[in-house]
Amino acid sequence: MNSRVEKVLNEQIEKESSSSTFYLAMASWAESKGLSGTATFLYAHSDEERFHMLKLVKFVNERGGTAIIPGITTPPSEFDSLSNVFELLLSHEVSVTESINNLVDVCLQEKDYTTHNFIQWYVSEQLEEEALARTILDKVRMIGDDNAGLYLFDRDLENSAIQPDSVNNATAGV
Ligand code: OFO
C-alpha cells in the first residue's frame, strides 16, 4: 500500500476512534442528567463511529498495510448544556469531514483509485452526519429552556437512534 495513503488512513482511524470515545462521554453525561433518549442516540452514535474505525482497520490490513490502533485520550466528562453537546458534536463532524476530504485529495495525488473508491462511502456518510447534527442543533436551540419541548425532543431522539443491531450486522459484513 502507498505509504502516504497508509499514513492518512491511519490518521483517519484515530479520528474515528476519538469520535467514538467523545460521543460515548456525551452519552454518559446525558444519561446522568436523565436525558435517556439523548443518551440512547449518543451511545448508538458512538457504536457507529467504532464501526467506521473498524471498516478502515480492515481495509488497511486487507490491502497489505498495517493498521495502527490508537490509544484512548480521556474526553471531557462534563458539558455546559445540551446545546453545548450538539455544538461540539457538529464541530467535531466538520473536522472529520475535513480529514476525509484530505484523504480523498491524497488518494488522487497518489493515483490510488481503489482507496479513493473505498473512501467515497465516508464522503456520503459525512454529508448525512453533518446534516443530522445541524438539524438536531437547530431543534435544541429552538427549545431553549422549555422543559416540555425538551421532554419531547428527548423522546423523539430515542426513536431516531440507530439500533445497535444494525451497527453490529454492518460490522460483521465489513
Ligand atoms: Fe465517522 O462519521 Fe462521524 O465522525
Side-chain angles (χ1 to χ4, degrees), residues 127-145:
L127 254 181
E128 283 174 23
E129 291 209 349
E130 272 196 38
L132 179 63
R134 282 201 176 87
T135 304
I136 293 174
L137 186 56
D138 285 348
K139 283 187 185 166
V140 172
R141 284 179 174 153
M142 208 184 296
I143 291 162
D145 294 330

Side-chain angles (χ1 to χ4, degrees), residues 16 19 23 45 49 52 92-93 96 125-126 129:
E16 302 292 347
S19 302
Y23 301 162
H45 203 354
E49 297 299 350
H52 295 173
H92 188 79
E93 285 303 324
V96 172
E125 185 69 15
Q126 281 313 117
E129 291 209 349

Side-chain angles (χ1 to χ4, degrees), residues 145-158:
D145 294 330
D146 175 5
N147 281 339
L150 186 59
Y151 170 79
L152 292 174
F153 166 84
D154 190 61
R155 196 191 58 186
D156 288 355
L157 209 49
E158 180 143 32

